[in-house]
Amino acid sequence: MSDFTHYPMFALGPADTPYRLLTKDHVSTAQFDGQPILKVDREALTLLADQAMRDTQHLLRTGHLQQLRAIFDDPQASANDRFVALELLKNANVAAARVLPMCQDTGTAIVMGKKGQHVWTGFNDEAALAEGICRAYTETHLRYSQVAALDMYQEVNTGNNLPAQIEIFATPGDSYGFLFLAKGGGSANKTFLYQETKALLNPERLMAFLDQKIRTIGTAACPPYHLAVVIGGTSAELTLKTVKLASARYYDALPTEGNKAGQAFRDLELERKVHQLTQRMGIGAQFGGKYFCHDVRVIRLPRHGASCPVGLGVSCSADRQILAKITSDGVFLEQLETNPARFLPDIGEDELSSDVVPIDLNRPMSEIRQVLSRYPVRTRLSLTGPMVVARDIAHAKLKERLDRGEGLPQYIKDMCVYYAGPAKTPEGYASGSFGPTTAGRMDSYVEPFQVAGGSMVMLAKGNRSAQVTAACKKHGGFYLGSIGGPAARLAEACIKKVECLEYPELGMEAIWRIEVKDFPAFVVVDDKGNDFFAEFMRADD
């Protein structure tokens, strides 16, 4: 067909990304078959991956920080919205010192490369990028979160946060472009695929669908979010990949209308309507208000006539992605914000809320519960004293002890249990970055543990299931919500001592005892059957 014309599905327009030069070394030019060729040395990729992962663990985009600051300029923002935003801005300021990463879950390293067909490397690009990622994780205070399966059931931590997810595509041209992401488990787990039909594609039905499904994201992935909605897709995997890239604002320069060739496009009007929908939900920046989402991206893709996949996903408050490129002029990395302090408002915490209840965790558990029982859900707390730290694997091991008839250890009966796992501790610090993990993963343990006298006061992030609310009502327990996101700030200001209690071989999944001072939290589930988040999980009638 001599008249054939190829139309790319993702026709990106020009972008205004600010870049900084890493080095002019490791690149050169040559000729092949009369065409200019860009030659790239192995160290260029290794250096680029190393520096990209370091930058994105400590620095944020200027636009993201501007959106956090804008919460303070909005008179409709709730006090809780503003409190969370202030903590996240303080956290960004601490992380920018490049010692403590902004989040203790330093994520899965993900790399997408677009290699021009006139770029020559002559080595294993994936291996060179992986080496750089390994350098970043092993030479700094980042956490190792990747586990390798020894068989179907037994796993071991890989000890260097590899393997990374690395995908490289061939594209026209003589440059090499990259997107690097660090994707933590909390936000990755809030990626959803729905297989719908043509019946969804009318305004009323679609908005009702999105209202229902967006609420299920909840707060466990640390809002305010950058929300991505993708409708259509030539395959389920393309839909979900587009969700991830859209949440990183990679597709912001797409066209804003479709055509008969099937080009992907952004629907700006639907983005506005969905954003307004999220503002009306009342979930807010974790504890009620307007700022569940900073912004929304809605992308429409072509589809098979018999399929209508819909994808949802978010980038969380640890908004970690960075662009990079290699050209004949050198190796370049996106310029992230190095001075987040300029976005901090001139405002004291006493101006945000004076209704903060101090909780002395040194008191017996019965007395701590008596104090908590006086206050309704939504109450803001300040915790001081000892806590035990245990998350997924630790809970599984404690459940095994229960199943063997050994009972629970006294520490989980006497202390509040904090669901978390620390990053590495820098020299001179009491703790590495140490924010909360998603509470919902431990839901199935609450009832049996409380029957045995443990987990009577729990601390983590995000909403929980009805079974937790029922268990707390039955046994007199409480679930306290911590702000998801400010792990560096908590480590620097609130966590004063960390020691391992059990299972040191589990690394960050071990059971720890920590001492905290003025640790911020909210009452989310009380001993009377009240759940702060319950009202927000119901779509409008």
Side-chain angles (χ1 to χ4, degrees):
M1 293 180 62
S2 59
D3 60 346
F4 171 77
T5 301
H6 173 67
Y7 296 92
M9 188 184 304
F10 295 93
L12 289 172
D16 57 356
T17 305
Y19 286 97
R20 66 183 180 93
L21 177 67
L22 280 185
T23 181
K24 291 187 176 182
D25 297 335
H26 315 305
V27 296
S28 59
T29 57
Q31 294 281 321
F32 175 75
D33 198 23
Q35 297 291 324
I37 297 294
L38 176 66
K39 296 176 65 178
V40 178
D41 295 341
R42 191 180 195 281
E43 182 58 25
L45 296 192
T46 300
L47 171 67
L48 186 61
D50 180 7
Q51 191 60 58
M53 298 313 299
R54 292 178 195 243
D55 277 16
T56 200
Q57 297 289 352
H58 294 280
L59 305 175
L60 292 158
R61 286 173 167 163
T62 300
H64 176 85
L65 291 161
Q66 288 171 332
Q67 288 175 308
L68 281 173
R69 174 58 195 266
I71 294 174
F72 288 88
D73 299 326
D74 185 352
Q76 297 178 345
S78 71
N80 286 341
D81 280 337
R82 301 176 81 211
F83 175 64
V84 170
L86 179 61
E87 289 297 302
L88 292 174
L89 284 169
K90 289 179 178 178
N91 189 68
N93 196 48
V94 173
R98 293 182 175 269
V99 178
L100 295 166
M102 69 181 73
C103 180
Q104 81 286 342
D105 184 350
T106 51
T108 297
I110 300 172
V111 185
M112 181 182 72
K114 292 191 174 180
K115 186 177 184 181
Q117 291 170 321
H118 288 184
V119 176
W120 169 257
T121 54
F123 52 82
N124 186 327
D125 294 25
E126 180 179 348
L129 292 164
E131 182 179 353
I133 292 166
C134 184
R135 283 184 192 174
Y137 277 86
T138 56
E139 294 177 8
T140 63
H141 304 110
L142 307 184
R143 195 178 83 183
Y144 307 144
S145 298
Q146 305 306 307
V147 292
L150 302 180
D151 57 34
M152 185 56 71
Y153 308 104
Q154 301 299 312
E155 297 176 317
V156 62
N157 193 294
T158 62
N160 56 13
N161 213 57
L162 295 177
Q165 177 184 324
I166 301 174
E167 299 174 341
I168 301 173
F169 301 89
T171 59
D174 60 354
S175 63
Y176 205 157
F178 298 89
L179 174 66
F180 293 87
L181 301 98
K183 195 71 173 174
S187 60
N189 294 346
K190 296 302 179 179
T191 305
F192 299 101
L193 175 71
Y194 305 98
Q195 294 287 8
E196 297 299 314
T197 68
K198 167 68 175 174
L200 184 68
L201 299 180
N202 70 75
E204 295 76 18
R205 177 80 181 272
L206 180 58
M207 288 302 292
F209 173 87
L210 293 175
D211 186 13
Q212 178 189 49
K213 301 305 183 184
I214 289 170
R215 291 173 190 268
T216 66
I217 295 173
T219 62
C222 308
Y225 297 131
H226 301 279
L227 173 65
V229 179
V230 177
I231 299 166
T234 51
S235 66
E237 55 269 29
L238 177 67
T239 301
L240 292 181
K241 182 172 184 177
T242 306
V243 166
K244 181 175 290 183
L245 296 179
S247 72
R249 278 82 75 211
Y250 185 80
Y251 285 137
D252 275 10
L254 281 176
T256 55
E257 58 184 20
N259 64 16
K260 290 185 177 180
Q263 75 177 12
F265 66 93
R266 286 179 62 189
D267 188 326
L268 301 184
E269 177 60 19
L270 191 54
E271 288 180 2
R272 183 185 65 81
K273 290 180 178 178
V274 174
H275 193 202
Q276 290 176 342
L277 175 71
T278 67
Q279 292 173 332
R280 294 194 301 268
M281 288 177 179
I283 301 172
Q286 306 189 30
F287 299 103
K290 176 181 176 182
Y291 282 92
F292 187 53
C293 296
H294 285 303
D295 49 39
V296 177
R297 299 294 184 269
V298 177
I299 294 180
R300 183 67 158 89
L301 299 180
R303 65 185 185 91
H304 185 286
S307 303
C308 186
V310 177
L312 296 180
V314 298
S315 181
C316 66
S317 61
D319 187 42
R320 295 172 297 190
Q321 58 268 319
I322 189 169
L323 295 166
K325 64 181 180 181
I326 302 176
T327 71
S328 58
D329 294 324
V331 181
F332 296 86
L333 197 56
E334 181 180 356
Q335 178 64 65
L336 302 181
E337 180 59 57
T338 58
N339 183 27
R342 67 190 178 98
F343 295 100
L344 281 167
D346 185 16
I347 185 171
E349 290 190 27
D350 57 342
E351 297 178 62
L352 292 174
S353 174
S354 58
D355 301 325
V356 181
V357 177
I359 301 295
D360 183 1
L361 298 177
N362 292 289
R363 307 300 299 168
M365 178 54 65
S366 59
E367 294 184 18
I368 295 171
R369 291 161 60 197
Q370 286 174 6
V371 173
L372 291 173
S373 190
R374 300 174 194 160
Y375 298 97
V377 294
R378 291 180 183 263
T379 300
R380 185 174 149 199
L381 310 172
S382 178
L383 311 178
T384 298
M387 293 194 286
V388 61
V389 178
R391 48 178 286 155
D392 307 62
I393 296 177
H395 273 73
K397 287 188 172 293
L398 294 178
K399 180 62 164 57
E400 291 171 1
R401 286 157 74 161
L402 266 185
D403 293 342
R404 293 194 299 266
E406 299 172 7
L408 292 175
Q410 196 63 34
Y411 55 71
I412 206 166
K413 299 178 183 180
D414 292 341
M415 288 185 278
C416 168
V417 57
Y418 179 37
Y419 301 162
K424 287 179 281 186
T425 301
E427 185 176 353
Y429 284 72
S431 169
S433 292
F434 210 156
T437 195
T438 303
R441 298 200 309 273
M442 268 55 76
D443 282 4
S444 63
Y445 298 104
V446 174
E447 169 71 19
F449 281 23
Q450 289 189 344
V451 168
S455 293
M456 300 309 296
V457 177
M458 301 160 284
L459 174 68
K461 67 174 181 176
N463 47 295
R464 307 202 71 167
S465 64
Q467 70 186 103
V468 172
T469 303
C472 287
K473 181 179 181 181
K474 181 178 180 181
H475 303 290
F478 296 84
Y479 166 55
L480 312 180
S482 177
I483 302 170
R489 154 98 171 135
L490 292 173
E492 183 178 75
C494 300
I495 299 175
K496 303 303 180 182
K497 184 179 181 181
V498 178
E499 57 183 338
C500 186
L501 282 180
E502 279 201 272
Y503 308 118
E505 70 277 8
L506 299 180
M508 68 93 177
E509 292 261 14
I511 295 178
W512 309 84
R513 183 186 186 278
I514 65 174
E515 294 276 347
V516 303
K517 180 177 174 57
D518 298 329
F519 193 110
F522 292 78
V523 179
V524 175
V525 176
D526 66 13
D527 57 348
K528 304 170 187 66
N530 299 307
D531 177 0
F532 166 72
F533 287 112
E535 64 180 284
F536 304 123
M537 295 300 108
R538 296 187 293 269
D540 294 335
D541 293 333

